[in-house]
Amino acid sequence: MTRSADDVFSVVPRRALPPVVAVWLAGTGAAALSGTPAALGALVGGGLATAFLASTFLLLRVLKHVEPALSLALALVVYLFKVTVLATAVLVLRDLPGVDGRAAALAAAACTVVWSAAACLAFRRLRLPVFDLAHGRSGAGS
C-alpha cells in the first residue's frame, strides 16, 4: 500500500512514541532503584528528549503548507527555537538538588536512540514513492 507524504506527520510519531515511552518508563523504574533523585532525573531527561523529538512532527504538521521558498528558513527557525527551549530547560534543571544529572542524560540518550530507530523503521514502512519511473521514460531519448 502506497501512502502520501502527509502520512509521515501522523504515522511516524504514532509508531515511534510507544517504544520511547516504554524505554522512558523502564529507565525511570531502573533509576528508582538508585534512589529518588535518579528516578526524577530519568523522568525529566526522558521527558525532555521525547518532547523535543515529538515536537518536530507537531510543528511540521502546522508548517507543511508554507511557501516552498520559505521552508528552509522556517526549518532553521523551528530548530533554533527548539534548541533554545531545550538549553533553557537544561540550565534551569541542572541546579535542582533533587534531580540526578547522570540519570537524566542517560534517559535522554536512550529515548533519542529509540525514537530515531523507531522513526526510521516507521518511515521505511510507509513506502513513499521517491520517483516516478513512468514519468522519466516519456521524455527519454529526446
Side-chain angles (χ1 to χ4, degrees), residues 21-112:
V21 171
V23 167
W24 181 22
L25 293 177
T28 302
L33 298 175
S34 297
T36 304
L40 191 56
L43 193 64
V44 168
L48 279 174
T50 304
F52 182 84
L53 295 165
S55 68
T56 299
F57 289 95
L58 295 174
L59 291 169
L60 288 178
R61 183 181 293 166
V62 173
L63 298 173
K64 69 182 175 182
H65 298 293
V66 172
E67 177 79 28
L70 295 175
S71 62
L72 183 59
L74 278 175
L76 184 60
V77 168
V78 166
Y79 179 73
L80 288 175
F81 174 74
K82 286 174 45 178
V83 168
T84 303
V85 169
L86 184 63
T88 303
V90 168
L91 288 175
V92 167
L93 294 172
R94 76 174 177 177
D95 294 329
L96 290 179
V99 176
D100 183 14
R102 183 174 296 166
L106 287 172
C111 287
T112 300

